[in-house]
């Protein structure tokens, strides 16, 4: 994984979400909501929050929608813990999670 990988995966998922090629499941929307809730007090996603969210739905999350959200979460974790922290990629990933969360509440 590289810092650019997070941005690439985020852009790909955002495009697929917008075109309907990726329809997040209830589990994926729930995890997005948990991450956004955890990020709210500090303003950004944390490694601890990602690990907790992945633990919550670990096995099913890796299977639904070809594990696409699971891969994104792995790349977020890598960016948070690695030397190549990608602030722009993390912000984009957080915005994508917000889009997923809005879709779960009936928003567009």
């Amino acid at each position: 994984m590289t810092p650019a990988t997070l941005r690439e995966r985020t852009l790909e998922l955002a495009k697929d979400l917008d075109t309907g090629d990726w329809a997040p499941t209830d589990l994926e929307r729930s995890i997005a909501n948990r991450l956004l809730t955890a990020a709210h007090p500090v303003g950004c996603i944390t490694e601890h929050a990602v690990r907790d969210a992945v633990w919550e739905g670990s096995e099913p999350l890796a299977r639904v929608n070809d594990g696409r959200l699971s891969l994104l979460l792995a790349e977020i974790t890598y960016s948070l813990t690695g030397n190549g922290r990608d602030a722009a990629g993390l912000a984009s990933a957080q915005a994508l999670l917000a889009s997923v969360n809005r879709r779960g509440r009936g928003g567009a």
Side-chain angles (χ1 to χ4, degrees):
M1 284 183 222
T2 66
T5 306
L6 174 59
R7 280 177 273 155
E8 291 165 6
R9 175 139 349 251
T10 301
L11 288 172
E12 177 185 316
L13 284 176
K15 178 184 74 91
D16 288 350
L17 181 65
D18 289 343
T19 62
D21 288 340
W22 176 45
T25 64
D26 289 341
L27 174 62
E28 291 170 316
R29 288 190 305 270
S30 173
I31 287 174
N33 181 273
R34 289 174 70 101
L35 286 169
L36 293 169
T37 300
H40 183 71
V42 293
C44 62
I45 300 169
T46 65
E47 176 191 358
H48 182 71
V50 174
R51 290 183 191 277
D52 284 351
V54 171
W55 179 256
E56 178 72 20
S58 59
E59 194 271 327
L61 184 61
R63 288 185 295 137
V64 298
N65 282 327
D66 297 324
R68 296 177 78 186
L69 185 66
S70 181
L71 289 171
L72 178 69
L73 296 179
E75 288 161 2
I76 289 171
T77 302
Y78 175 81
S79 182
L80 289 167
T81 60
N83 293 333
R85 188 178 189 112
D86 180 6
L90 289 167
S92 294
Q94 190 164 330
L96 172 62
L97 292 171
S99 293
V100 169
N101 186 51
R102 280 192 305 275
R103 300 275 169 115
R105 294 188 322 232

